[in-house]
Amino acid sequence: MGIVRFENVSFKYPRSGGYALSNINFSVVKGEFLAVMGENGAGKTTFCKLINGIIPHLSGGILSGNIFVDGIRTDESSVPHLASIAGIVLDDPDAQLFTSTVYDEAAFGLENILLPPQEIKQRVEFALAGAALTGLESRVPSTLSGGEKQRLSIAAALAMKGKILVLDEPLSRLDPQGAAKIMSVLHELKLRHGLTIIMAEHNSAFFAEYADRICVLKNGAVAALDTPANIFANNALLEENGIQPLCDTESREHFTAKPLITSPKTLSTAHEGNISLSYVPSNDESGCSIVVENDPAAEAVRFSNFCFSYSGGISFNNFNLVIKNNEFTAITGCNGCGKTTLLKNIAGLLRPMKGDIFIRNRNIKKLSVSEISKEAGFVMQNPGTQLFCDSVFKEVSFALKNMHLSKQEIKKRVNDALETAGLTGKENTFPHALCRSDRTRVVIACLIAMGCKIMLFDEVDVGNDYKGCINIMDMASMLHSRGFTIVFVTHNISLVKKYARRVIRMDLNGITDDFTG
């Protein structure tokens, strides 16, 4: 009968024009690993939340049909009771973390079901080890990197030892080693304890290796339900549903530590594990009207004896790095090694404790954040955190109005930026109604309009399907061809291979490799 069963299930969110899921019928057997794939907006998150009872108990909406979890009808149970059977890990770890230490976070659910202290200790140690967080027990969760937060959310769910584990894009913020570790732990739990795993994710390589079946969702309906071998053999299905083909997937490849390279290597001879790094330019058919004219030999960014640290966390001591004008640089490395910290210091959101940072030969100590933002623009993982106006035009023009430009100049800058970003015709659209990759394009358009010449992308591929990632990075490639300096942080080795002209690899001790070409 299946430990999870969907019988004619349809669901519509409150005030929504259509159904998020429509007429879903299938079951998941005990001990199965079911992968859920599809484009952004296909219904993956809704599917996951239905299993745990978050939908409809906490979301509202119209639910028809029946969902059974371990023989219990979800609409007749409660979220706390279902959580003891089916733990869930959401794609945004900040939405799940709220205690004062890593240990307390992993122990919170266990304390609420009144387990003995010794058992709580054993379970927490097991879960933190499985999520590669041993040694961080006393850290405050808010000081962790995005990937470490994601691993902590997974650890808290593992500690509960329910029969079912539901994960909504749990690997999106993890470095390759961390993702491989999590998948290995889940596989071991599945084999040893019969854990049923239901995971929504875009990582084709992991699902090809670990999943028993793959459910492909399209516009809220089941487009395919089959073995990984059959799913990945169907190129038309992959293309139609924005799923990355296996031949293009390198996410399982590991970075291996090497001695620090004092002079950059060339990409033609460089390798990341078994990955040969090469630059593949994308075609520029955008009609981009904005060009940055600069001296490519001059410096865009320089770190000089840079020092920065968090309490008990990332530490930079006499760090030195130069990025020249019009470079296309990828920064890679393990979670918590300081990639985002570097970008935030360039953007002025954090400030060096010692040493200097120069942007186009100007020391940022002498610049305000607003002055820095006219040179270097920061694009966050979640574009929604940077968008707050009720139309795309207002969003792109907001900073320009604060610069006290004339209406004519504002209109020209906004129109040029929207044309460059491929958003012409969407001026009146509510930004949050756009797909995730287009929301990122709106943020980039804002930066273009302000006159930024340096673009800092912080894991903008996170949360995007394959098409969305290519959409954003093709735009970055186009901007690079027009003279912009691009610096992007990512764990996605496929994107590094396809787009980067320079690759800086980091670990907890700083830069370990620097490849250029």
Side-chain angles (χ1 to χ4, degrees):
M1 294 292 291
I3 193 169
V4 176
R5 301 202 317 274
F6 281 70
E7 298 178 350
N8 300 317
V9 174
S10 296
F11 178 74
K12 181 179 180 181
Y13 285 100
R15 299 177 297 280
S16 173
Y19 278 84
L21 289 177
S22 179
N23 197 34
I24 304 295
N25 285 279
F26 68 86
S27 64
V28 182
V29 300
K30 184 179 185 300
E32 183 177 14
F33 189 142
L34 177 74
V36 184
M37 304 190 79
E39 296 175 299
N40 288 351
K44 302 185 298 296
T45 296
T46 301
F47 177 84
C48 290
K49 290 181 177 180
L50 280 166
I51 296 170
N52 188 257
I54 294 174
I55 296 176
H57 293 299
L58 302 182
S59 69
I62 301 172
L63 174 66
S64 61
N66 297 316
I67 304 165
F68 294 90
V69 173
D70 197 27
I72 300 169
R73 270 184 54 167
T74 60
D75 61 342
E76 295 178 349
S77 184
S78 65
V79 174
H81 181 59
L82 290 169
S84 67
I85 303 169
I88 188 167
V89 177
L90 302 175
D91 59 343
D92 179 8
D94 290 316
Q96 292 187 266
L97 305 179
F98 52 88
T99 62
S100 58
T101 70
V102 167
Y103 185 96
D104 289 342
E105 194 68 51
F108 182 81
L110 308 177
E111 292 169 344
N112 276 272
I113 58 175
L114 305 179
L115 290 183
Q118 187 59 33
E119 184 173 353
I120 290 176
K121 183 174 183 294
Q122 291 173 352
R123 286 201 191 190
V124 169
E125 289 175 351
F126 157 79
L128 293 179
L133 291 171
T134 301
L136 301 181
E137 290 86 352
S138 61
R139 284 279 296 277
V140 178
S142 62
T143 68
L144 299 176
S145 72
E148 288 168 337
K149 290 177 181 178
Q150 190 70 284
R151 297 208 306 267
L152 179 54
S153 295
I154 294 170
L158 290 177
M160 294 297 292
K161 291 188 175 181
K163 296 180 181 180
I164 304 163
L165 185 59
V166 182
L167 306 106
D168 183 17
E169 297 191 34
L171 310 179
S172 60
R173 301 172 188 237
L174 303 187
D175 58 52
Q177 300 96 321
K181 173 70 173 177
I182 291 297
M183 293 302 296
S184 177
V185 169
L186 293 177
H187 183 62
E188 186 71 12
L189 291 171
K190 172 182 179 293
L191 294 180
R192 287 194 174 191
H193 304 290
L195 179 68
T196 303
I197 301 167
I198 300 171
M199 181 187 293
E201 185 55 72
H202 296 298
N203 195 308
S204 299
F206 279 128
F207 283 166
E209 181 174 356
Y210 291 109
D212 296 308
R213 287 189 300 166
I214 296 177
C215 174
V216 178
L217 294 177
K218 179 75 171 180
N219 297 326
V222 176
L225 180 62
D226 211 331
T227 63
N230 289 338
I231 293 293
F232 290 116
N234 190 337
N235 289 329
L237 177 72
L238 300 181
E239 173 68 22
E240 183 180 350
N241 291 280
I243 297 173
Q244 187 172 9
L246 286 177
C247 59
D248 292 337
T249 304
E250 315 291 351
S251 58
R252 288 303 315 277
E253 299 292 350
H254 290 192
F255 290 114
T256 55
K258 298 179 182 178
L260 175 63
I261 294 174
T262 55
S263 59
K265 292 181 178 180
T266 60
L267 291 184
S268 59
T269 60
H271 293 267
E272 296 281 8
N274 297 322
I275 303 173
S276 177
L277 298 172
S278 59
Y279 173 61
V280 183
S282 61
N283 294 326
D284 178 9
E285 300 177 352
S286 64
C288 175
S289 60
I290 295 177
V291 176
V292 174
E293 295 182 0
N294 51 40
D295 178 3
E299 295 175 356
V301 178
R302 172 185 285 274
F303 287 84
S304 179
N305 297 320
F306 167 71
C307 299
F308 185 90
S309 66
Y310 297 106
S311 176
I314 300 163
S315 178
F316 289 92
N317 187 28
N318 293 325
F319 178 88
N320 294 281
L321 174 67
V322 173
I323 297 172
K324 292 185 178 180
N325 284 334
N326 198 216
E327 283 193 345
F328 200 138
T329 301
I331 302 179
T332 68
C334 62
N335 292 129
C337 69
K339 303 181 297 297
T340 297
T341 298
L342 288 182
L343 297 193
K344 286 184 175 180
N345 271 275
I346 297 172
L349 301 179
L350 297 174
R351 295 288 183 164
M353 294 177 173
K354 292 182 180 180
D356 299 287
I357 300 174
F358 298 88
I359 296 180
R360 296 170 68 87
N361 296 320
R362 301 170 70 190
N363 195 321
I364 66 169
K365 288 180 179 177
K366 301 177 181 179
L367 303 176
S368 66
V369 174
S370 62
E371 289 173 318
I372 294 171
S373 68
K374 296 172 187 175
E375 294 284 353
F378 187 49
V379 185
M380 299 179 180
Q381 290 181 6
N382 182 1
T385 61
Q386 295 180 269
L387 303 174
F388 49 86
C389 294
D390 60 8
S391 76
V392 169
F393 188 95
K394 290 180 181 179
E395 197 73 59
V396 180
S397 64
F398 181 84
L400 304 182
K401 292 177 180 178
N402 291 333
M403 293 164 63
H404 305 296
L405 300 177
S406 67
K407 290 183 179 181
Q408 183 178 2
E409 176 67 13
I410 290 174
K411 184 176 181 180
K412 181 182 185 306
R413 285 201 187 196
V414 171
N415 288 338
D416 285 349
L418 292 177
E419 178 188 359
T420 302
L423 294 169
T424 301
K426 298 183 179 180
E427 294 86 347
N428 297 320
T429 304
F430 179 50
H432 290 275
L434 296 170
C435 68
R436 190 182 183 100
S437 62
D438 277 353
R439 294 200 297 272
T440 299
R441 282 176 172 260
V442 175
V443 175
I444 297 171
C446 294
L447 304 179
I448 293 171
M450 290 174 63
C452 293
K453 304 170 184 65
I454 303 166
M455 296 291 178
L456 310 172
F457 294 170
D458 186 22
E459 296 191 54
V460 292
D461 53 296
V462 167
N464 273 296
D465 55 30
Y466 181 54
K467 288 181 179 177
C469 291
I470 298 302
N471 184 322
I472 295 169
M473 292 308 299
D474 275 352
M475 180 179 177
S477 182
M478 177 270 293
L479 291 174
H480 173 254
S481 72
R482 298 296 176 127
F484 287 79
T485 302
I486 307 294
V487 182
F488 72 104
V489 166
T490 187
H491 296 302
N492 190 321
I493 307 309
S494 294
L495 299 183
V496 174
K497 285 182 61 180
K498 185 171 183 180
Y499 295 98
R501 297 294 299 270
R502 179 182 181 187
V503 182
I504 295 170
R505 184 173 62 190
M506 297 176 59
D507 65 13
L508 297 177
N509 297 312
I511 296 174
T512 62
D513 275 306
D514 191 340
F515 303 104
T516 61

